[in-house]
Amino acid sequence: MQSAANFNQGLMQFLQQATAPAQAVAAMSERLNEAGFSLLQEDTTWELQPGQGYYVIRGGKSLIAWRQGQAPVAEAGVRMLGAHTDSPCLKVKPNAEIIRHGCLQLGVEVYGGALLNPWFDRDLSLAGQVHYWDNAGQLHEALLDLREPLGIIPSLAIHLNREANKGMEINPQKYLPVVLCQAEEEDPKLVFRELLASWLKEAGHAEVSEVVDYELCFYDTQPPALVGLHQEYLASARLDNLLSCYVGLEALLAGDPGTAATRLLVCNDHEEVGSASSIGAEGPFLESLLRRLSGDEPAYQRTLSLSLMVSCDNAHALHPNFPERHDENHGPRINAGPVIKINANQRYATSSETSALFAGYCRRAQVPFQRFVVRTDMGCGSTLGPITATRLGVRVVDVGVPQWGMHSVRETVGSQDAWYLTRALQVFLDSESLAVS
């Protein structure tokens, strides 16, 4: 069994690779290929073998991987893990160029509920998907990750805004365009699509004729790090929710191929903006795959009744500077184990039954666990858990590791908690029965 230290090194490497949802899926695909999983196309006939691993991708940004169980899914059910590949960020607009006052800037849209202040004065790069035509007029898709710092959003000096530390509203249209370089008006070399074409050619796509469109996001180039006097913490961008993607993937790959039940990981895009898309959790991706594995409607219904999803998304850790923001009996602590998330109004899908089941997996894995309930006088966020429970009618428990700075450009978790959660999920995936007597 690997140690938490070794686990964290793999996690940090993944976070460095997964700079945007498409890059996250590419990194997971690489890991799955190394483990002997086979990529399947949804428009082909499948011949699945017990004990073998498979995965499918939709839209380049959502992925489902599973290991086929020894028994039919209608007899043993599916042990499911859910996470999401997207994080709040700044996405480049289609007509992005802004040349003013001697600077070339790119206009951006705010994706998801981002904390905006931490984006100022960061060394930013670009990653995502680009679609282009070749010289024959054929359409291609390429992944692009520039890796190097190429932009910044400079703060306004406090001398020019003496009230800055008393709180300033950030107008994203006015204050968030990213500065790329010095420039003058009407410089033909500074058309963004032309820059993309040159970057693609440098990356090996020599056949690029014209960039048609793209989905690109800025990201902070500062690498993940273990911090704290005793390295108690792990700080990085995109911990919400790439940490859960990595944890789920490692738990899936560590499982026993001989178990009766099929074990599955689904990582959807678009959770941060409501999941309502063809590749989001509210879309048909997971349902269509489960129906395909089941065979017919009666078998599909039996499959759901025998199944459970653990929806993994990070939880709000008790902040030492803001303890009043938590219910005094439900403030999860860093490095005190995974958090079971509960909400009476179904913002989380956890029930008493599913909470008790997950507590049992933690006990068997010999890891601590905690429970989170938001203050009664505050609103509660949500996850893909309630969406999946509503769409499929399957049992769900919402869990996650506790973190600080959620939706910041740089977030913090405990250096033990991801490893704790992985061990609990391994027990869940290898469990023989989900029955409650």
Side-chain angles (χ1 to χ4, degrees):
M1 181 180 296
Q2 65 176 318
S3 66
N6 289 337
F7 181 87
N8 285 332
Q9 290 303 314
L11 171 59
M12 290 191 290
Q13 181 180 355
F14 173 72
L15 291 166
Q16 277 282 77
Q17 293 176 285
T19 48
Q23 277 70 19
V25 167
M28 287 188 283
S29 300
E30 181 180 344
R31 184 80 175 88
L32 289 163
N33 292 335
E34 292 172 353
F37 279 59
S38 300
L39 174 63
L40 301 178
Q41 303 300 327
E42 292 186 273
D43 60 353
T44 63
T45 301
W46 297 349
E47 295 183 3
L48 306 178
Q49 301 300 319
Q52 297 301 304
Y54 306 95
Y55 68 102
V56 294
I57 295 171
R58 273 196 189 179
K61 298 180 295 177
S62 292
L63 173 148
I64 300 177
W66 73 98
R67 191 177 291 279
Q68 196 73 16
Q70 297 296 325
V73 293
E75 295 178 9
V78 183
R79 310 289 182 265
M80 291 183 281
L81 305 176
H84 61 89
T85 59
D86 59 322
S87 302
C89 65
L90 305 181
K91 289 196 171 184
V92 183
K93 291 181 177 180
N95 300 320
E97 302 93 339
I98 305 169
I99 299 180
R100 58 187 179 186
H101 306 295
C103 294
L104 170 64
Q105 297 175 272
L106 295 184
V108 296
E109 285 188 282
V110 179
Y111 176 86
L115 276 172
L116 297 181
N117 270 309
W119 281 88
F120 289 91
D121 306 317
R122 294 279 179 165
D123 302 335
L124 303 178
S125 193
L126 275 174
Q129 298 165 299
V130 182
H131 287 83
Y132 65 89
W133 286 319
D134 65 16
N135 293 323
Q138 294 296 310
L139 185 64
H140 300 267
E141 177 188 311
L143 298 187
L144 182 67
D145 188 346
L146 298 177
R147 307 303 296 181
E148 296 296 325
L150 57 83
I152 196 165
I153 308 171
S155 294
L156 180 65
I158 195 167
H159 312 77
L160 304 179
N161 181 12
R162 294 290 184 180
E163 303 299 308
N165 289 330
K166 296 181 180 179
M168 180 182 76
E169 180 181 353
I170 298 174
N171 183 315
Q173 177 72 17
K174 293 173 60 178
Y175 302 154
L176 294 186
V178 179
V179 177
L180 290 195
C181 65
Q182 292 183 304
E184 298 302 330
E185 297 285 347
E186 307 301 328
D187 188 335
K189 295 181 293 185
L190 297 179
V191 176
F192 184 57
R193 281 180 168 79
E194 293 295 326
L195 290 173
L196 285 177
S198 66
W199 290 331
L200 286 171
K201 289 175 181 177
E202 290 174 6
H205 301 278
E207 74 280 14
V208 176
S209 173
E210 180 182 346
V211 170
V212 186
D213 219 326
Y214 51 81
E215 187 168 333
L216 295 167
C217 59
F218 281 102
Y219 68 91
D220 181 13
T221 57
Q222 183 179 2
L226 293 170
V227 300
L229 189 61
H230 306 293
Q231 296 192 331
E232 301 102 319
Y233 311 114
L234 193 158
S236 176
R238 304 176 299 281
L239 289 172
D240 175 20
N241 190 31
L242 293 183
L243 179 149
S244 297
C245 292
Y246 185 78
V247 162
L249 182 61
E250 290 302 299
L252 176 66
L253 296 180
D256 179 6
T259 56
T262 293
R263 288 153 297 156
L264 179 149
L265 168 68
V266 54
C267 296
N268 291 108
D269 191 18
H270 298 148
E271 191 276 344
E272 295 291 0
V273 291
S275 295
S277 72
S278 61
I279 60 175
E282 196 172 321
F285 191 21
L286 178 58
E287 180 183 353
S288 63
L289 186 133
L290 291 175
R291 288 184 179 278
R292 192 163 185 170
L293 296 183
S294 300
D296 58 30
E297 185 63 23
Y300 173 66
Q301 296 300 329
R302 292 197 301 274
T303 298
L304 294 181
S305 70
L306 295 168
S307 300
L308 174 68
M309 169 176 274
V310 178
S311 167
C312 298
D313 204 346
N314 297 353
H316 298 292
L318 180 66
H319 195 304
N321 297 341
F322 301 93
E324 72 280 1
R325 294 291 179 166
H326 279 78
D327 181 281
E328 61 184 5
N329 291 330
H330 300 93
R333 294 180 180 270
I334 295 282
N335 285 321
V339 179
I340 302 172
K341 302 194 285 187
I342 301 162
N343 181 258
N345 296 302
Q346 293 301 293
R347 298 294 288 169
Y348 303 130
T350 306
S351 67
S352 177
E353 176 193 358
T354 60
S355 174
L357 286 169
F358 186 79
Y361 305 139
C362 291
R363 177 170 293 183
R364 286 165 55 191
Q366 298 183 326
V367 302
F369 65 92
Q370 310 174 77
R371 295 182 176 90
F372 171 75
V373 178
V374 73
R375 283 179 58 106
T376 308
D377 56 0
M378 293 177 64
C380 182
S382 193
T383 71
L384 57 79
I387 295 170
T388 303
T390 301
R391 181 171 183 92
L392 300 183
V394 70
R395 291 175 291 174
V396 176
V397 57
D398 270 299
V399 307
V401 304
Q403 77 162 75
W404 292 324
M406 189 174 291
H407 290 194
S408 174
V409 74
R410 193 163 181 86
E411 302 166 318
T412 306
V413 296
S415 56
Q416 297 295 315
D417 285 324
W419 178 225
Y420 282 149
L421 179 57
T422 304
R423 288 161 57 188
L425 295 180
Q426 288 173 0
V427 171
F428 159 62
L429 291 177
D430 289 342
S431 60
E432 292 297 327
S433 173
L434 303 176
V436 177
S437 60

